[in-house]
Amino acid sequence: MNTLARRILMGRIHGAFGVRGELKLESFSNPPEAIFRYLPLTLRTTQGVEREVEGARGRATGKGIVMRLPGVEDRDAAEALRGAELYVPREALPPPAPGEYYWVDLEGLRVVNTDGVDFGVVSHLFSTGANDVLVARGERERMIPFVQPDYIVSVDFDAGVVTVDWDAEF
C-alpha cells in the first residue's frame, strides 16, 4: 500500500505488556482509547510490512493503553511488533470542529505571508507542548507557531493556502 499520505498515524506499539501477547500502545487519539473506534487499523511494521487488522481491542490502564491483536498470543510475538505503527484512513475520522484542523489536511498547502511572500508548502507540523508548530519548506525551512490569529491568519482549503503573519526574513 502506498497511501500513507491519506492515512493518519493513530498509534505506535512500544512492546509487550505481560506474557500473554498484550501490547503497550501509544495512542495519538483523544481520548487515547478512542483509537479502537477506527477499525480496521492498518499495522505497519518497522520493516515496512503492512496488514489490515480486524478485531483489535484494548483498555486504558494506569500506565497507558494495553492492546490485544488477533494472532499475537505470547510475549515474543508482541515484542516482534515493537515500533510498529497503526494507521487509519483519513476518511474514517470525524470532521474537525470549526477552527480545528487535522495536520494531514494542512500538509502540502502553500504558505504565504500577509505581504504575499511565498514560503513554500506545509511540510509537517509538530507539537512543542506549549503550542503546535507549522513547518513551511520553500527556498528554506521556516517554523511558524500555529497560533491563530497571531501568526496563522487564515487557512483556505479551497485556494490551498495558509496565510501567515510572519516576517519573510525570520
Side-chain angles (χ1 to χ4, degrees):
M1 246 182 237
N2 240 351
T3 57
L4 286 178
R6 296 309 308 154
R7 295 189 298 188
I8 306 279
L9 176 62
M10 293 294 286
R12 187 170 290 117
I13 296 172
H14 286 289
F17 181 87
V19 296
R20 291 179 286 147
E22 291 182 306
L23 301 153
K24 291 185 279 187
L25 174 66
E26 177 184 12
S27 173
F28 304 131
S29 63
N30 187 15
E33 58 273 13
I35 189 171
F36 301 108
R37 293 182 196 154
Y38 307 110
L39 300 177
L41 298 164
T42 298
L43 176 79
R44 181 179 173 87
T45 68
T46 56
Q47 296 81 27
V49 176
E50 295 185 6
R51 66 181 165 103
E52 197 169 90
V53 177
E54 302 257 5
R57 61 186 196 282
R59 67 186 189 281
T61 70
K63 295 186 177 193
I65 301 295
V66 174
M67 179 173 76
R68 293 234 14 126
L69 291 178
V72 179
E73 303 299 328
D74 60 35
R75 186 173 183 84
D76 290 340
E79 275 300 326
L81 292 174
R82 180 184 295 271
E85 297 175 329
L86 296 163
Y87 292 86
V88 299
R90 165 60 184 90
E91 298 75 34
L93 299 177
E100 293 183 357
Y101 310 97
Y102 287 115
W103 289 359
V104 71
D105 294 342
L106 298 170
E107 293 171 0
L109 296 182
R110 180 125 325 265
V111 180
V112 299
N113 75 359
T114 52
D115 295 327
V117 177
D118 189 328
F119 288 174
V121 298
V122 177
S123 165
H124 63 284
L125 292 97
F126 64 92
S127 180
T128 65
N131 55 266
D132 298 331
V133 175
L134 178 146
V135 179
R137 285 200 181 132
E139 80 285 350
R140 64 185 178 95
E141 185 176 89
R142 291 180 174 87
M143 292 185 223
I144 305 164
F146 201 94
V147 178
Q148 295 178 294
D150 299 352
Y151 306 116
I152 306 297
V153 176
S154 67
V155 176
D156 185 339
F157 286 107
D158 293 332
V161 174
V162 176
T163 303
V164 298
D165 188 356
W166 200 253
D167 189 309
E169 301 305 314
F170 191 68

